[in-house]
Amino acid sequence: MTLRLYDLAGAEPDRRFSPYCWRIRMALAHKQLAVETIPWRFTEKAEIAASGQKLVPVLVDDELWVADSWTIANYLEDTYVDTPSLFGGIAARRLTRHYSSLADGLVGAIFPFIALDILHRVAEKDRAYFRESREKRVGMSLESFVADRDSKLPAFRASLTPLRQTLKAQPFLGGDEPLYADYAVFGPFQWARCISPFGLFEDDDPVKQWRGRMLDCFDGLARKAVAYDT
Amino acid sequence: MTLRLYDLAGAEPDRRFSPYCWRIRMALAHKQLAVETIPWRFTEKAEIAASGQKLVPVLVDDELWVADSWTIANYLEDTYVDTPSLFGGIAARRLTRHYSSLADGLVGAIFPFIALDILHRVAEKDRAYFRESREKRVGMSLESFVADRDSKLPAFRASLTPLRQTLKAQPFLGGDEPLYADYAVFGPFQWARCISPFGLFEDDDPVKQWRGRMLDCFDGLARKAVAYDT
């Protein structure tokens, strides 16, 4: 039985842009597990009701529904024990939890740059939902929210200093090879490039170079995705 | 032969406040290693010249001088293999590198709140050096630098969201017990409380609660230090 993954899609079914789904796409590849991805839209809550909640990623393994990226990653690690470890041991798994939190923080930090680009690329039927839910969250129109994005770029780039410092010292967060920590943090950057032409990086940024190494993983899984060349 | 650690001190020899030295104080305790700490001031570069550089922590193990907190932590792990691991394995050690970078970032994030408090508590002979070097770094007088610190507090607290999220999910960054990742991130918070009465946390902040658990480690090693009750 092939694994199935509900995967957020835009207007085009093959524009897959969830930062949380990308973590799991990469994790599945790391675990050498084939997956059938099912394009899913924000408003298709009924399709994933069996998961007991309303957000993707949702993994379906035979009859079992698993939601939440951290839960899915742990499920894969504990279920498919004969393929490469996502974490690298007991302590490493616990240390990886914070990378998941850092990645969530990155989603928040990147959103002010791409919020309106997302609106323009989600499926027609998702547009009103996306605008209403996100405008409620940020307390203003998406147009106002992104209006001064260029002025926010230096502070965003400065906020990447710790990541930059680490990635100058070693090729991946996991060391010489990527681990789930890398996939978690890569998710928000892949989200951005799949949905927005806005350039977040300076060309010589070591974080961008690491992103390039991530795009090359698994025979270019993430590089081959429908995305912008940012 | 007892290990010796050059440890940054303020006007009072027992006010030890380096965020980088505290990482190593905690790491030494974790490795169950006795240490003689030597109070050291910013301007006492000659005393640590044998280390080949000008900053503490500097560890002296018999005839061997080791500088830089990350290098020292790795030295302790590789040299004292029969005591508890600081990292928890090979992958965990590599994943810990980024915690060190995050801790460096925290030093920068906390400095705008405590810069002037440091000036008032360093040794008399360090005062001119500290003011000049730090004012050059921040591009203004230390008085101006901290003038609006209260207005910066909400943004600082918001920047701790990922840490807060992780520490709601598990008691330590290392899981159920602290690891070097915890000591690295604890360093900047211990730096602040050792040198400044300024309160960085709201009382019910999970990050403050974790800090409390860190203060309790090793029979209250960090709690017993000369510090403010922030």
Side-chain angles (χ1 to χ4, degrees):
Chain A
M1 181 81 191
T2 307
L3 294 164
R4 290 181 296 144
L5 182 74
Y6 286 89
D7 193 19
L8 182 65
E12 308 129 286
D14 58 351
R15 187 178 299 280
R16 306 298 175 86
F17 69 99
S18 160
Y20 307 102
C21 292
W22 270 109
R23 296 182 191 179
I24 299 305
R25 294 281 299 277
M26 300 293 277
L28 286 161
H30 182 106
K31 294 293 280 179
Q32 304 171 350
L33 294 166
V35 64
E36 177 198 342
T37 65
I38 304 165
W40 177 91
R41 271 59 179 238
F42 285 115
T43 47
E44 295 173 347
K45 306 296 188 193
E47 276 77 348
I48 58 169
S51 72
Q53 52 83 66
K54 299 175 177 181
L55 302 170
V56 291
V58 167
L59 183 77
V60 189
D61 190 353
D62 203 352
E63 296 293 298
L64 186 70
W65 292 64
V66 190
D68 176 76
S69 57
W70 179 247
T71 304
I72 294 171
N74 281 275
Y75 170 80
L76 294 175
E77 183 78 351
D78 294 333
T79 304
Y80 298 96
V81 295
D82 294 332
T83 57
S85 171
L86 281 172
F87 303 116
I90 294 169
R93 187 192 299 219
R94 289 168 181 164
L95 288 168
T96 301
R97 170 65 97 145
H98 189 46
Y99 285 93
S100 186
S101 304
L102 291 170
D104 294 346
L106 269 174
V107 170
I110 292 174
F111 192 57
F113 300 102
I114 67 172
L116 198 60
D117 294 328
I118 300 175
L119 180 73
H120 294 152
R121 285 162 187 82
V122 296
E124 181 69 37
K125 66 177 181 179
D126 277 359
R127 220 153 275 176
Y129 165 85
F130 182 80
R131 181 185 279 281
E132 190 178 340
S133 60
R134 270 46 176 185
E135 292 190 344
K136 187 174 173 187
R137 189 183 297 169
V138 303
M140 65 183 83
S141 75
L142 294 180
E143 286 77 4
S144 301
F145 189 53
V146 305
D148 58 346
R149 63 179 178 177
D150 288 330
S151 71
K152 292 176 180 166
L153 202 49
F156 170 73
R157 289 174 175 170
S159 76
L160 300 180
T161 299
L163 199 53
R164 193 170 290 126
Q165 187 178 337
T166 300
L167 294 168
K168 281 180 187 172
Q170 56 189 42
F172 295 100
L173 297 168
D176 290 332
E177 301 292 338
L179 290 172
Y180 187 75
D182 292 273
Y183 309 139
V185 176
F186 172 70
F189 294 114
Q190 175 72 347
W191 169 52
R193 68 183 283 284
C194 285
I195 204 75
S196 168
F198 187 78
L200 292 168
F201 298 116
E202 295 195 89
D203 272 343
D204 59 351
D205 190 334
V207 181
K208 183 174 183 178
Q209 291 162 0
W210 161 80
R211 193 193 64 169
R213 292 190 289 277
M214 296 301 294
L215 291 171
D216 290 336
C217 287
F218 314 122
D219 200 24
L221 171 67
R223 194 183 288 286
K224 291 173 190 165
V226 171
Y228 294 92
D229 184 25
T230 60
Chain B
M1 180 80 190
T2 306
L3 294 163
R4 290 181 295 144
L5 182 74
Y6 286 89
D7 193 19
L8 182 65
E12 308 129 285
D14 58 352
R15 186 178 300 280
R16 306 299 176 87
F17 68 99
S18 161
Y20 308 102
C21 292
W22 269 109
R23 295 181 191 180
I24 299 305
R25 293 282 298 278
M26 300 292 278
L28 287 160
H30 183 105
K31 295 292 281 178
Q32 304 171 349
L33 295 166
V35 63
E36 177 198 344
T37 65
I38 304 165
W40 177 89
R41 271 59 179 238
F42 285 115
T43 47
E44 295 174 347
K45 306 296 189 194
E47 276 79 347
I48 57 169
S51 72
Q53 52 82 65
K54 298 176 176 180
L55 302 170
V56 291
V58 167
L59 183 77
V60 188
D61 190 354
D62 202 354
E63 295 293 299
L64 186 70
W65 291 65
V66 190
D68 177 76
S69 58
W70 180 246
T71 304
I72 294 171
N74 280 276
Y75 170 80
L76 294 174
E77 183 78 352
D78 293 333
T79 305
Y80 298 97
V81 295
D82 295 332
T83 58
S85 170
L86 282 172
F87 302 116
I90 295 169
R93 188 193 298 219
R94 289 168 180 164
L95 288 168
T96 300
R97 170 64 98 144
H98 189 47
Y99 285 93
S100 187
S101 303
L102 291 170
D104 294 348
L106 269 173
V107 169
I110 292 174
F111 192 57
F113 300 101
I114 67 171
L116 198 60
D117 295 327
I118 300 175
L119 180 73
H120 293 151
R121 285 163 186 82
V122 297
E124 181 68 37
K125 67 177 180 178
D126 277 0
R127 221 154 273 175
Y129 165 85
F130 183 81
R131 182 185 279 281
E132 191 179 339
S133 61
R134 271 46 176 185
E135 292 189 343
K136 187 173 175 190
R137 189 184 298 171
V138 303
M140 65 184 85
S141 76
L142 294 181
E143 286 77 3
S144 301
F145 189 53
V146 304
D148 58 345
R149 63 180 178 175
D150 288 330
S151 72
K152 292 175 180 166
L153 202 49
F156 170 74
R157 288 174 175 170
S159 77
L160 300 180
T161 299
L163 199 53
R164 194 170 291 125
Q165 188 178 336
T166 301
L167 294 169
K168 281 180 186 172
Q170 56 189 45
F172 295 99
L173 298 168
D176 291 333
E177 302 292 337
L179 290 172
Y180 187 75
D182 291 274
Y183 310 139
V185 176
F186 172 70
F189 294 114
Q190 175 72 347
W191 168 54
R193 67 182 285 283
C194 285
I195 203 75
S196 168
F198 187 77
L200 293 168
F201 298 115
E202 295 196 90
D203 272 343
D204 60 352
D205 189 335
V207 182
K208 183 174 183 177
Q209 292 161 0
W210 162 80
R211 192 194 65 170
R213 292 190 289 277
M214 296 302 293
L215 292 171
D216 290 336
C217 288
F218 314 121
D219 200 24
L221 171 67
R223 195 184 286 287
K224 289 174 190 165
V226 172
Y228 295 92
D229 184 24
T230 59

